[in-house]
Amino acid sequence: MAQKKVDVLIIGSGHTGGMAAKILTGKGISCTMLDAGPMLNFEKYREMKPVNELPFRGFDAPGRLPHVFQANEFNANQWVDEKVVPYYHPPEAPYNWVRVRSVGGRSPFWARQSFRLSDYEFKCKDHDGFGENWPISLEEIAPFYSRVEEIFRVTGHKDGLPQYPDGNFVEDNSPWSGAMQRFVNAGQKLGVPVTKPRSSLGKDGLASSLNLLIPDAVATGKLTTIPNAIVRQITVDKNTGLADGAIFIDRHSHREMVIKARVIVLAAGCLESTRLLLLSDMCNSSGALGHYLSDQIYGAGIICSVPEARDGKAAPHLMGGGALIPRFRNIKTKAADFIRGYAVNVSCSNGPFEARALPFYGKELEQKLQSYNGSGFATNIMGEALGHYENHVTLNKQVVDAWGIPTLNIYTKYTSNETNMAKDYVDTMAAMAEAAGFDILVKNYEFNPPGYSIHEQGTARMSDDPKEGVVNKWNQSHDTKNLFVVDASVFVSAGWQNPTITMCTLSMRACEYLAEEMRKGNV
């Protein structure tokens, strides 16, 4: 088996692996990056075909991606095939694990919502007594947030809300549309803030590791990338107890190879990183590894029609635009039947109306759609799911993937806290929509199964106490000092926020700490 000694081995090339490469190579440190998938060929993989030329007419092969609601035959090649890399969940407790294996990871497919966590998340236990506080605060990482926001060109408006921290924004001072202003006014009467959305503009239509992070690392001459490298184990020096490399398998030939390294930076994604640590039988003296899996609830919502916009009668600037309602529950007062809170994505559409909102079919549905087109107004929840110890993953040695590697069992479910939160959300949004003069056509209290948000977090969480978590405040393993975990597995609580900007921020901070520790000879 071929061997190669590298300074830092980065496992994973998404937002956090890309950030690690950018920071470390910028400090003059040589890095080798492994990714389980191929290099993306945008010319080849973005080719569009008429639906009649596709074998399944756009619906994809049955059973290939049963848990990826986002999949169809036009984009199926971007997701991990569950027949190739399966996983298990109890039939009564479904979990949607949405994965991408290609250089850049899921970063090219990120929806770009860009939020800082607040101290309502970092110090969550102080507010409601549940779970644990993070071993860091907003004040500690705010300077890193600002640098990440500059890289990703985050657009937004400063609102001065403690639960929705302001950042280093490309300022959004665009006016509200008429319908959206009515909704904003309705929120003000109920004490619900309606704010501008915050998202990454990126560069050239993309805000990914591929175009914003990895190219800077490549430009230093210090980064080597090995695609199609499926890591099955992190190896440990028996004499020192330190990580000393990894064993990986070539995706195509199934040939096994070894790479040796001074330091490991693990950035494979929450569950894949956890799977690899479990496979390597390491970093679990606390017993916390694999536990406290959490994410956000998605799917519940309302669909409305703005009456004045139907039949093509919308006045100029009546329709269009979007908004974000940040968490507003359990800030100054306590909700009666749930802790934590939720945010809301709001959309005001002057485009096609959603057929699922109209109880008609055939010619009558066509007539109704023609009438309702351009009048749509909808909201969707992003609610914090609690990280219970019982929500966990284990190795399944009886079921292996296409390369003979044990797969994951995933055991997680939502509780009454999430159910009560969703009810409060729908009722509150309905009250605001009615006050704004909209017709409510759908009130959906049902949310999707765990995993649907694609924001899995928490299975290798941070802690000051080595008995309570897997890594310290610098993302450094308590047990293995030359191993750093920089993806969302280290999150202590999920919050309502899309985690990407926080993941990048923690990776930047961890790798600057790592570079300094390497310079001092401590790692």
Side-chain angles (χ1 to χ4, degrees):
M1 293 186 289
Q3 294 190 7
K4 180 182 178 182
K5 185 76 171 181
V6 301
D7 287 335
V8 176
L9 178 64
I10 302 171
I11 302 173
S13 63
H15 277 122
T16 57
M19 183 63 75
K22 174 182 170 67
I23 296 300
L24 293 171
T25 58
K27 299 286 186 181
I29 298 170
S30 296
C31 298
T32 296
M33 176 183 286
L34 303 181
D35 194 275
M39 296 292 292
L40 285 178
N41 182 329
F42 277 98
E43 294 303 318
K44 177 180 179 181
Y45 294 121
R46 295 175 79 184
E47 178 186 357
M48 297 299 291
K49 292 184 178 181
V51 68
N52 63 290
E53 292 184 10
L54 300 174
F56 297 95
R57 302 299 187 264
F59 292 102
D60 198 29
R64 180 181 176 190
L65 297 163
H67 296 96
V68 184
F69 296 172
Q70 299 85 349
N72 55 55
E73 198 170 6
F74 290 101
N75 66 21
N77 61 348
Q78 77 189 32
W79 313 110
V80 169
D81 187 338
E82 292 179 27
K83 293 181 179 179
V84 175
V85 190
Y87 67 97
Y88 170 81
H89 62 74
E92 71 279 6
Y95 189 89
N96 294 332
W97 188 12
V98 180
R99 298 159 288 169
V100 173
R101 283 191 172 182
S102 57
V103 175
R106 290 185 299 203
S107 70
F109 313 104
W110 175 40
R112 304 194 201 180
Q113 292 197 91
S114 302
F115 311 121
R116 296 185 179 197
L117 298 187
S118 73
D119 280 332
Y120 286 98
E121 286 75 46
F122 289 126
K123 304 303 175 186
C124 52
K125 185 177 182 180
D126 290 347
H127 293 286
D128 55 40
F130 179 84
E132 297 294 336
N133 290 332
W134 293 57
I136 55 177
S137 67
L138 176 60
E139 182 180 9
E140 288 178 69
I141 69 167
F144 298 95
Y145 267 131
S146 292
R147 290 168 57 191
V148 169
E149 288 158 347
E150 184 172 358
I151 293 170
F152 284 90
R153 298 179 61 230
V154 175
T155 181
H157 182 75
K158 295 182 179 179
D159 300 289
L161 299 171
Q163 73 271 32
Y164 192 40
D166 293 330
N168 182 14
F169 299 146
V170 177
E171 190 70 18
D172 179 1
N173 289 313
S174 59
W176 297 113
S177 65
M180 193 67 80
Q181 185 64 62
R182 284 156 52 182
F183 193 69
V184 171
N185 296 342
Q188 289 175 341
K189 294 178 181 179
L190 292 176
V192 178
V194 182
T195 71
K196 291 291 182 180
R198 297 175 182 174
S199 62
S200 292
L201 295 173
K203 178 183 176 183
D204 299 328
L206 197 61
S208 74
S209 174
L210 283 177
N211 72 316
L212 296 180
L213 303 174
I214 293 176
D216 288 349
V218 171
T220 67
K222 295 286 186 178
L223 178 66
T224 300
T225 301
I226 303 176
N228 299 307
I230 299 169
V231 183
R232 73 165 179 84
Q233 184 180 346
I234 295 170
T235 57
V236 175
D237 186 307
K238 294 180 180 179
N239 296 319
T240 65
L242 297 175
D244 67 355
I247 301 171
F248 66 94
I249 301 168
D250 180 84
R251 187 166 72 99
H252 298 296
S253 69
H254 289 225
R255 179 188 175 197
E256 188 174 275
M257 289 170 274
V258 171
I259 187 167
K260 293 296 182 181
R262 175 179 168 189
V263 178
I264 306 289
V265 174
L266 186 52
C270 175
L271 292 180
E272 284 289 12
S273 288
T274 301
R275 177 190 181 198
L276 184 53
L277 292 175
L278 291 169
L279 286 165
S280 306
D281 193 23
M282 63 190 307
C283 301
N284 196 23
S285 63
S286 65
L289 182 64
H291 293 273
Y292 305 103
L293 177 60
S294 61
D295 63 353
Q296 285 109 30
I297 58 171
Y298 274 39
I302 65 171
I303 301 175
C304 310
S305 172
V306 180
E308 305 94 311
R310 292 202 286 266
D311 299 311
K313 297 178 180 179
H317 312 300
L318 172 64
M319 301 298 293
L324 189 284
I325 298 174
R327 171 182 166 181
F328 58 93
R329 294 295 190 220
N330 295 312
I331 301 296
K332 295 182 178 179
T333 60
K334 291 186 177 181
D337 51 6
F338 64 91
I339 62 172
R340 308 290 164 91
Y342 56 85
V344 184
N345 278 318
V346 184
S347 62
C348 181
S349 172
N350 52 17
F353 200 79
E354 294 191 65
R356 65 191 176 111
L358 297 170
F360 306 100
Y361 64 93
K363 186 176 182 179
E364 191 174 10
L365 175 60
E366 291 180 6
Q367 293 171 341
K368 290 291 184 181
L369 284 173
Q370 185 174 2
S371 172
Y372 277 75
N373 279 349
S375 72
F377 195 97
T379 71
N380 294 282
I381 189 173
M382 300 186 294
E384 177 171 355
L386 300 179
H388 295 278
Y389 180 85
E390 295 78 13
N391 291 344
H392 70 288
V393 300
T394 63
L395 285 180
N396 186 345
K397 296 181 180 180
Q398 282 68 49
V399 178
V400 298
D401 65 18
W403 298 273
I405 303 171
T407 55
L408 280 186
N409 299 317
I410 304 177
Y411 304 97
T412 187
K413 60 182 179 180
Y414 292 144
T415 67
S416 60
N417 197 76
E418 289 78 31
T419 303
N420 295 336
M421 183 184 293
K423 184 178 187 306
D424 180 86
Y425 149 71
V426 172
D427 291 344
T428 303
M429 293 303 106
M432 288 173 60
E434 288 177 355
F438 306 155
D439 293 336
I440 301 173
L441 304 179
V442 174
K443 290 200 294 186
N444 174 35
Y445 293 89
E446 299 294 323
F447 41 84
N448 297 112
Y452 179 86
S453 66
I454 324 182
H455 293 166
E456 61 270 18
Q457 306 167 37
T459 46
R461 68 180 187 172
M462 278 188 177
S463 66
D464 277 332
D465 186 347
K467 295 180 181 179
E468 298 294 330
V470 176
V471 300
N472 65 17
K473 65 186 294 183
W474 302 105
N475 296 65
Q476 181 182 31
S477 166
H478 286 301
D479 297 348
T480 308
K481 299 303 182 183
N482 67 336
L483 188 148
F484 288 71
V485 184
V486 296
D487 53 43
S489 59
V490 305
F491 280 37
V492 181
S493 59
W496 54 265
Q497 296 93 332
N498 181 303
T500 302
I501 288 296
T502 301
M503 290 158 51
C504 290
T505 298
L506 293 177
S507 182
M508 173 185 282
R509 178 175 176 271
C511 290
E512 293 207 337
Y513 172 82
L514 167 59
E516 181 62 16
E517 290 295 287
M518 291 179 73
R519 187 189 68 80
K520 293 177 180 178
N522 295 334
V523 175

